[in-house]
Amino acid sequence: MNDELRTATRLLLDHRLEAARTALGATAATAVVLRGGRPLWRGATGAVDGHPLDADTQFRIGSITKTLTAALVLRLRDEGRLGLDDPLGRHLPGLPEPVGAATVGQFLAHTSGVPGGPPATWRRDGTDDFPAGLFGQPPTLYPAGAVHHYSDVGFTLLGALVERHRGAPWAECVRTELLRPLGMRRTTRLPAAPAATGWAADPETGGPTAVPSYDFGVMSPSGQHWSTLDDLVRWAAFLTGGQDGVLSAATLAEMRRPAVPDGCYGLGLELWPDDPARRGGPGFAGHTGSVPGFRSALLVAPAEGLAGILLANGSTALPEGTAALVRDLIRLGTAA
C-alpha cells in the first residue's frame, strides 16, 4: 500500500466502493488501484458468508475469462499454427458456411457476424450437437466484418479452436499455459473455497436471492472462470507488458489496438479510448464481466502505468457501468 496517499483520498475511495457495493446489491466488493504495478489503494467492504473478505476470496469474473481465451489464441498465432486472417472453418471443419468463412481475427474482435448467444433450447452441457447446435437459422446475423456484435458463441468457438490445436481441454490449456507461469494459483474453472456466493434481486419480491453456481459447460471459454483480486493484479501486469514464455509485449500491444470501426474492441480486449472524466486522461484496455450473481472489471492503461480492478457478488447494473466505476476509482486514486 502506498503510504503517500492522503487519508482523505483513502476515505473517499472507501466510500465510493461501499456505495457501489450497495448499488450492485452485493454483500461483498473489493477493488484496487495500481500505478507502476504497486497498489496505491486496496479496498474491501462487506462479508462473504458472514466472514470478512480474505485476500484469497474468489469471485466469478464472467467475461474477463475471454481475455484468457484470446491469449491462448494469440499464442497459437505466435507459434505459427494459425493466422488471424485464416477462416475459422480451416481449423474447425463442419461449421456452417457463413460461420466457417469468418476469420479468427474477426472472432477475436466480435465482428464474425455470429449471434451473441445460442438458441433458447441450447443445453450448456453440450448434449446438443456441438458446434452446430450453437446456431439458429440463419446461423449468422451479419456478414463477417460488417458489424461489431458481442458474441459468447464466438468465443466458445475460439475455445474449441484452442482444444483442436492443443489436443487438450480448454481449461487445462488456460491452467498450464497462462495461470501456472503467471503464478495465478487461485484462478480456477470452478469455485474453490473461500469463494463468494452470488446474489441477485428476486424477480417477484425484489429482495436478494442467492444465485447457484452453475457451469457454462462447453461455453466456458466465454465466461466461466473464478479469481481473486491478487491473481487479477498479476493478470493486469501481464496485459500491460506481457511475459517471456507466455506472450510478448508486442503481442499484448497488438491485442490493445482497435480492431472495430468505433474503437471499442481490440483482439479479445474491450477498449475505452479516452477517459471522459479527465480531459486528456488515459485510455484503457481490459474487460468487464457480468454473470448472474457477479460483476467485475479489469482496466489497464499501459502508457501511464495505471490499472484498476473491481470484484463484487451482486447483479444489479450500475447506471454508469462497472468500467466507468473503475475509471473513477483510478481518477480519484491518482488525482493527488
Side-chain angles (χ1 to χ4, degrees):
M1 192 65 61
N2 191 326
D3 293 333
E4 297 179 1
L5 201 65
R6 294 181 301 176
T7 299
T9 301
R10 290 197 193 97
L11 291 174
L12 182 59
L13 287 162
D14 290 342
H15 173 76
R16 186 72 182 87
L17 180 61
E18 172 60 20
R21 181 188 69 81
T22 301
L24 287 163
T27 66
T30 185
V32 65
V33 172
L34 302 124
R35 181 162 57 196
R38 296 179 55 212
L40 292 174
W41 165 81
R42 182 190 295 260
T45 176
V48 170
D49 298 330
H51 301 286
L53 286 181
D54 183 274
D56 267 350
T57 301
Q58 285 187 331
F59 291 76
R60 197 161 197 175
I61 62 173
S63 287
I64 294 176
T65 302
K66 289 182 173 69
T67 66
L68 302 170
T69 301
L72 291 176
V73 173
L74 268 296
R75 280 174 56 84
L76 290 170
R77 192 284 306 272
D78 287 356
E79 293 170 10
R81 294 174 180 262
L82 55 81
L84 297 186
D85 291 332
D86 290 355
L88 187 64
R90 182 181 300 173
H91 302 273
L92 287 178
L95 293 172
E97 175 57 30
V99 176
T103 68
V104 173
Q106 288 168 339
F107 278 93
L108 285 168
H110 296 285
T111 59
S112 66
V114 299
T121 55
W122 171 258
R123 293 188 291 272
R124 292 189 187 93
D125 61 6
T127 55
D128 287 324
D129 184 24
F130 180 80
L134 288 171
F135 311 104
Q137 292 297 326
T140 57
L141 301 177
Y142 310 100
V147 175
H148 173 67
H149 181 73
Y150 190 83
S151 177
D152 288 335
V153 168
F155 267 73
T156 297
L157 294 176
L158 290 176
L161 170 70
V162 170
E163 292 187 341
R164 184 171 183 85
H165 276 284
R166 295 302 192 204
W170 165 84
E172 178 64 15
C173 296
V174 170
R175 188 177 69 84
T176 58
E177 297 184 37
L178 303 175
L179 304 181
R180 184 186 293 165
L182 294 175
M184 297 170 65
R185 64 179 184 83
R186 286 284 292 154
T187 301
T188 54
R189 182 180 175 278
L190 298 174
T197 298
W199 292 90
D202 186 281
E204 295 183 1
T205 68
T209 183
V211 178
S213 173
Y214 61 93
D215 193 331
F216 273 43
V218 297
M219 293 194 69
S220 292
S222 70
Q224 175 68 31
H225 266 59
W226 297 68
S227 192
T228 67
L229 198 65
D230 282 352
D231 268 15
L232 290 183
V233 166
R234 293 182 174 89
W235 189 242
F238 169 71
L239 291 179
T240 297
Q243 178 169 307
D244 290 345
V246 183
L247 275 182
S248 69
T251 295
L252 267 296
E254 182 182 3
M255 292 174 69
R256 297 192 302 265
R257 285 199 289 271
V260 299
D262 66 0
C264 71
Y265 214 88
L267 298 176
L269 293 176
E270 289 184 272
L271 305 178
W272 298 270
D274 53 51
D275 185 348
R278 297 175 70 182
R279 180 173 297 179
F284 289 94
H287 223 289
T288 55
S290 176
V291 293
F294 295 91
R295 299 275 175 168
S296 58
L298 182 155
L299 280 70
V300 300
E304 292 80 9
L306 301 175
I309 303 164
L310 168 75
L311 296 170
N313 65 339
S315 294
T316 303
L318 295 176
E320 73 275 27
T322 51
L325 169 63
V326 172
R327 290 199 305 269
D328 189 41
L329 293 175
I330 294 170
R331 177 181 61 84
L332 293 171
T334 58

